[in-house]
Amino acid sequence: MVIRSKAPLRLGLAGGGSDVSPYCDLYGGCVLNATIDLYAYCTLKPTNNGKICIHAIDRNENFDCETINSIPLDGCLALHKGIYNRLVKDFNLKPCGFELYTYTDAPAGSGLGSSSTIVVAIIQAFVEWLNLPLGDYDIAQLAYDIERKDIGMCGGKQDQYAATFGGFNFIEFYDHDRVIVNPLKIKEKVVCELEASMLLFDTGVSRSSATIIEDQMNILGSDQKRLCAMHKIKESSYIIKEMVLKGDFPRLYETIRTAWNAKKGTSDMITNQNIEEIYDLALGAGAYCGKISGAGGGGFMMLFVDPVKKLNVVKALSGRKGHFVNFHFVNTGSYSWRSVD
């Protein structure tokens, strides 16, 4: 028997950063995101040889040990080990042998939530194998707890919920880890227009979201400008949600421009010369607006442009490091299935 699972990566359309503690605990946060047809994958093969073997294929990282209750977190494959440790602890599982293989369609540091999404995919595989009593909210919250609390990686809450639920979601975040996922019923013609009007550009620069988020976490200090910028980001997410639901693209683009400027005010690491040059070239070739998906500093940039001017933007950026990636929106969240080896 072989267990396989997959979970979709996401584009952060609005509100990113307001899902990070302590901001969301004090003021409440909200984001709008949408999953796309780029995925994190997991294959789990139960064995009887008394060994645990973990392979992150895309990162060329491997680990193996005898079956034990808790695997030391020594930095290598910490997410994979942390998931195993937490499941054994929470469900009083008897350690058993298995082989685990993972890979993603986008690397860590892409701004598409790849790290959190791989955690969701792995948990989903274990849920399928062991028939664990976990629903969607449980899986997403467990993924968050493992990543942020057990392992201590800085970050927000949106990625785990986006990967688990899938689709267009307006997600609210409150204190005591209270999260409400509001699935949005977007008209098909609006989804088609969004896809026709968007370009996804990999800037070719990976970045550490944790470093940027650590800087943003100081937002509640003496710098009121940063706090006000985060308030604007949160406020803009309500407007962007409304404009997507209504299909009001002119106001959508206007609000995205405003929100991108506000986001740059939350940390000096959000943007850099490379990002600004890409943005200016795109606007000069006819793009309406653009923004980085994720924490910032690099990764993927979303560009919004009149469909008939798409090729102009592509040509304008042809000399830059990086490349365009085709995508479509998807409504399905994480899922798993059994296969025959």
Side-chain angles (χ1 to χ4, degrees):
M1 177 184 66
V2 176
I3 306 296
R4 304 195 197 280
S5 64
K6 62 190 295 190
L9 303 179
R10 62 99 186 101
L11 294 179
L13 298 174
S18 71
D19 60 316
V20 179
S21 296
Y23 180 86
C24 62
D25 302 321
L26 293 173
Y27 301 102
C30 55
V31 303
L32 172 62
N33 56 37
T35 47
I36 58 177
D37 55 352
L38 298 175
Y39 295 90
Y41 304 88
C42 177
T43 291
L44 191 158
K45 298 181 179 181
T47 63
N48 296 313
N49 60 8
K51 286 186 173 293
I52 295 172
C53 300
I54 303 173
H55 309 278
I57 302 170
D58 50 348
R59 295 166 56 182
N60 196 30
E61 293 186 22
N62 304 282
F63 171 83
D64 65 83
C65 68
E66 302 296 324
T67 53
I68 52 179
N69 285 317
S70 181
I71 305 173
L73 301 180
D74 56 5
C76 175
L77 298 173
L79 292 174
H80 302 64
K81 296 173 183 176
I83 295 166
Y84 171 80
N85 292 346
R86 184 62 178 264
L87 292 177
V88 169
K89 176 184 175 182
D90 284 4
F91 296 96
N92 295 314
L93 301 177
K94 179 181 178 181
C96 46
F98 60 86
E99 295 178 8
L100 187 72
Y101 301 84
T102 63
Y103 65 96
T104 63
D105 286 332
S110 64
L112 303 182
S114 56
S115 296
S116 300
T117 304
I118 198 66
V119 174
V120 169
I122 296 171
I123 294 174
Q124 189 74 60
F126 276 103
V127 168
E128 178 73 26
W129 177 29
L130 303 171
N131 195 28
L132 301 178
L134 296 175
D136 287 345
Y137 275 97
D138 302 316
I139 291 173
Q141 183 61 44
L142 180 59
Y144 172 80
D145 287 343
I146 292 169
E147 201 172 353
R148 308 297 180 222
K149 299 178 182 179
D150 295 358
I151 301 175
M153 297 177 63
C154 288
K157 297 180 172 73
Q158 68 162 312
D159 298 346
Q160 299 85 354
Y161 286 86
T164 304
F165 283 81
F168 283 81
N169 290 298
F170 187 76
I171 311 177
E172 301 169 82
F173 306 92
Y174 302 98
D175 58 355
H176 306 298
D177 288 330
R178 188 162 63 95
V179 180
I180 302 173
V181 179
N182 303 282
L184 301 183
K185 187 176 181 180
I186 310 297
K187 294 178 180 179
E188 185 63 27
K189 63 182 181 180
V190 173
V191 175
C192 289
E193 181 66 12
L194 272 174
E195 290 183 348
S197 305
M198 290 180 68
L199 287 167
L200 189 59
F201 185 71
D202 182 353
T203 63
V205 178
S206 178
R207 83 290 181 273
S208 171
S209 61
T211 302
I212 298 172
I213 291 170
E214 282 179 13
D215 185 55
Q216 285 184 319
M217 287 172 66
N218 297 321
I219 205 166
L220 302 181
S222 59
D223 192 339
Q224 288 299 306
K225 289 184 178 180
R226 288 192 177 193
L227 181 58
C228 289
M230 186 59 72
H231 287 333
K232 290 181 181 179
I233 290 172
K234 175 185 171 182
E235 292 166 5
S236 70
S237 65
Y238 289 99
I239 301 172
I240 291 174
K241 177 192 71 170
E242 179 184 352
M243 295 307 102
V244 169
L245 286 169
K246 291 181 176 180
D248 186 342
F249 285 89
R251 193 175 176 200
L252 171 66
Y253 301 145
E254 177 187 346
T255 310
I256 288 175
R257 284 193 293 270
T258 301
W260 172 236
N261 287 328
K263 186 175 181 67
K264 290 189 287 186
T266 63
S267 170
D268 294 335
M269 293 184 283
I270 297 295
T271 190
N272 51 48
Q273 182 177 346
N274 181 52
I275 291 174
E276 291 300 314
E277 288 177 356
I278 292 171
Y279 186 79
D280 290 342
L281 284 171
L283 261 60
Y288 297 123
C289 58
K291 69 182 295 289
I292 289 289
S293 179
F300 281 78
M301 174 175 278
M302 294 176 285
L303 298 168
F304 299 82
V305 59
D306 184 332
V308 301
K309 295 183 179 179
K310 266 188 169 182
L311 285 180
N312 293 344
V313 176
V314 171
K315 291 177 181 177
L317 296 181
S318 62
R320 304 290 306 188
K321 178 182 178 182
H323 64 279
F324 288 94
V325 175
N326 293 324
F327 75 95
H328 294 88
F329 293 109
V330 296
N331 288 320
T332 304
S334 63
Y335 61 98
S336 54
W337 66 98
R338 296 176 182 239
S339 180
V340 178
D341 194 0

